[in-house]
Amino acid sequence: MSLSVDVDELEKDWTELSDEYRSLEAANQQYQELHERLEEMQEKCTKQIQHQRYRMRQISKNLKTYMTQEKLSPEDRDKVTQLEKSIMKRKAQIHEIEQGLPQQNSQYLKIILGDVNVSILNRNDKIRYKDEYEKFKLILNVIGLLLSFLNIVFNYRALELVFLFLLVWYYCTLTIRESILKVNGSRIKGWWRLHHFISTVCAGVLLVWPQGEPWQLFRTQFMYFNVYISLVQYMQFRYQKGVLYRLKALGERHNMDITIEGFHSWMWRGLKFLFPFLFVGYLFQFYNAWTLYRLTQHPDATWQIPVLSILFLILFVGNSFTTLMVILQKQTERTENRYRLMSLIASKRQKTTVRQPTNEGAEAATAKGEPTAVESEKTK
């Protein structure tokens, strides 16, 4: 009897579960329909974006042709200027719309990952991925600093290989993560991405550099270089993290950005502090290239030495040139902002001067004992 009751209860539970399963099937069917609808809308938006860009290119081309005409009235010039501003605004609007749509992978990602969609459509997921990227760099930077210091204290080949393999893995992973950020709208400077590709090659060449006297002559210098670079990268991380946080709070930067392109006067407090350390690091790269060049004359020199010398020289030139261009760009933006501020102050003074007679009239009325306009209004 008890067995019959237990079976009846089990049949009842199964019936309830079957009803729940039918609800699951209905929800899944609705999900599939919404997913198909989403893909259709994504494709529709993509086509319309392509159409918008095609039409804008045609309008811009015709606009340039029209501007080549010799005689343009002031009214026509104003219309042309307004059209150019509208086109720039529309490009920015389309860029923002694209952030919510899947993007095509770069050729590098297709080679590494295949034809896998790495677009992140949810805004919170994008921010979370960006934060994970920053944490990844910080953690590996600290680990690299510790391993470099240990390699200075202890001269063990196994410890060297662990550190060099970490460098190869770190830069390979970094290039992949940055490519994913790029797909999802990050405005990473082209040189910094190329810098990490070159650093990957450099770390790989160091890893296969055979043990010998040339390596021992360069080893200690290289480890000190990594200690210094790790400290500078940590300072740079803290600066960029703070600047991006403030700009995001002001609503002036894209949440996937990792480098600073815009300018505000308060940025110089951190930049002025960072620039000397950065350029010392670049000079250290040049010193590495010079040391390796001299080691090419060593009897036991291998092909890795001249290759590394060229790579360090490329890093020195590229980093120095790019940083100098950033300084010039920010100085120009700083000057432009100063002139804008001066113009704004001048216009405010002009408005104050225009309103001055009204104030003098009110003061004169008060001196005579007559009611001012405000007092008259209150009396009414």
Side-chain angles (χ1 to χ4, degrees):
M1 184 68 179
S2 60
L3 182 61
S4 176
V5 172
D6 290 341
V7 170
D8 291 340
E9 290 179 356
L10 291 174
E11 287 181 348
K12 183 180 178 181
D13 291 340
W14 179 254
T15 301
E16 292 178 356
L17 186 60
S18 298
D19 294 338
E20 293 174 358
Y21 178 74
R22 283 190 287 272
S23 176
L24 171 62
E25 280 186 323
N28 180 65
Q29 181 65 27
Q30 186 178 4
Y31 165 76
Q32 294 293 338
E33 292 174 356
L34 288 173
H35 190 269
E36 292 177 0
R37 178 65 176 164
L38 175 64
E39 290 180 346
E40 291 177 2
M41 293 303 297
Q42 287 174 349
E43 185 177 356
K44 182 178 180 180
C45 289
T46 302
K47 289 181 178 179
Q48 290 188 1
I49 287 174
Q50 293 173 353
H51 175 71
Q52 286 279 321
R53 284 182 170 157
Y54 172 76
R55 291 293 304 276
M56 281 193 297
R57 284 196 299 268
Q58 295 297 320
I59 293 173
S60 298
K61 183 179 178 181
N62 294 332
L63 202 60
K64 289 180 180 179
T65 304
Y66 181 74
M67 286 290 291
T68 57
Q69 296 181 10
E70 295 182 359
K71 295 182 180 180
L72 288 178
S73 64
E75 184 180 354
D76 289 339
R77 289 187 181 276
D78 291 340
K79 289 180 179 180
V80 168
T81 303
Q82 188 62 38
L83 269 173
E84 290 176 342
K85 291 181 180 179
S86 299
I87 290 172
M88 291 179 63
K89 183 179 178 181
R90 182 61 53 81
K91 287 180 179 179
Q93 291 172 335
I94 289 177
H95 178 76
E96 290 300 319
I97 292 174
E98 275 188 318
Q99 304 313 308
L101 296 172
Q103 302 295 320
Q104 291 290 330
N105 291 353
S106 63
Q107 195 63 35
Y108 176 68
L109 280 179
K110 289 180 179 179
I111 294 173
I112 299 296
L113 303 177
D115 195 13
V116 179
N117 187 3
V118 295
S119 297
I120 305 172
L121 303 182
N122 185 274
R123 181 176 178 274
N124 292 329
D125 291 340
K126 285 186 176 183
I127 298 174
R128 193 179 301 113
Y129 183 81
K130 170 63 175 57
D131 290 337
E132 289 297 325
Y133 165 83
E134 297 291 350
K135 291 177 183 176
F136 168 78
K137 288 201 302 182
L138 179 61
I139 293 171
L140 268 295
N141 187 57
V142 173
I143 294 173
L145 175 62
L146 294 175
L147 286 175
S148 300
F149 181 75
L150 289 175
N151 273 288
I152 293 173
V153 177
F154 305 104
N155 191 350
Y156 294 136
R157 182 59 178 171
L159 193 60
E160 295 171 1
L161 293 176
V162 169
F163 173 65
L164 294 175
F165 179 78
L166 178 70
L167 286 180
V168 174
W169 177 80
Y170 168 70
Y171 283 115
C172 283
T173 308
L174 203 63
T175 55
I176 296 172
R177 289 179 180 240
E178 286 177 347
S179 297
I180 294 174
L181 285 171
K182 187 72 175 176
V183 170
N184 287 281
S186 181
R187 303 170 185 177
I188 307 174
K189 290 280 189 181
W191 163 251
W192 302 122
R193 292 188 66 207
L194 180 60
H195 173 276
H196 292 148
F197 281 104
I198 296 173
S199 298
T200 304
V201 177
C202 189
V205 176
L206 283 165
L207 183 63
V208 298
W209 189 351
Q211 183 89 356
E213 186 177 353
W215 164 248
Q216 290 300 322
L217 291 173
F218 180 70
R219 177 187 180 279
T220 304
Q221 175 180 324
F222 177 68
M223 295 304 170
Y224 275 115
F225 168 74
N226 280 284
V227 169
Y228 180 80
I229 290 300
S230 296
L231 294 174
V232 173
Q233 285 180 345
Y234 177 76
M235 289 189 291
Q236 195 173 7
F237 165 81
R238 297 302 304 174
Y239 164 75
Q240 289 184 351
K241 191 76 172 177
V243 170
L244 284 175
Y245 177 80
R246 292 186 67 174
L247 289 176
K248 287 176 189 176
L250 294 171
E252 299 185 23
R253 293 296 289 172
H254 194 275
N255 286 302
M256 299 298 284
D257 287 353
I258 67 169
T259 55
I260 304 305
E261 296 176 4
F263 171 78
H264 290 261
S265 58
W266 46 263
M267 292 181 185
W268 281 99
R269 291 196 296 270
L271 279 176
K272 287 180 180 178
F273 175 78
L274 266 179
F275 281 142
F277 293 98
L278 289 173
F279 280 104
V280 169
Y282 302 156
L283 290 175
F284 211 147
Q285 288 175 334
F286 177 76
Y287 181 58
N288 288 339
W290 173 250
T291 302
L292 289 164
Y293 172 74
R294 294 179 60 186
L295 284 175
T296 56
Q297 309 300 322
H298 196 280
D300 297 332
T302 57
W303 63 268
Q304 288 89 353
I305 297 176
V307 171
L308 287 171
S309 178
I310 294 172
L311 291 176
F312 273 111
L313 183 62
I314 293 173
L315 291 175
F316 161 72
V317 173
N319 287 335
S320 301
F321 178 77
T322 304
T323 305
L324 286 173
M325 292 301 295
V326 170
I327 294 174
L328 292 175
Q329 176 187 351
K330 293 184 184 300
Q331 287 282 11
T332 304
E333 291 174 354
R334 188 183 186 186
T335 304
E336 290 176 355
N337 288 340
R338 187 185 295 116
Y339 282 124
R340 288 173 188 169
L341 182 61
M342 291 171 63
S343 176
L344 181 62
I345 293 173
S347 63
K348 286 184 177 180
R349 286 178 178 175
Q350 187 177 3
K351 290 179 181 178
T352 304
T353 305
V354 172
R355 293 175 181 175
Q356 191 67 27
T358 304
N359 295 334
E360 290 176 354
E363 291 173 359
T366 304
K368 293 178 182 178
E370 299 175 0
T372 62
V374 177
E375 290 173 348
S376 300
E377 189 65 29
K378 285 182 179 179
T379 305
K380 292 177 183 179

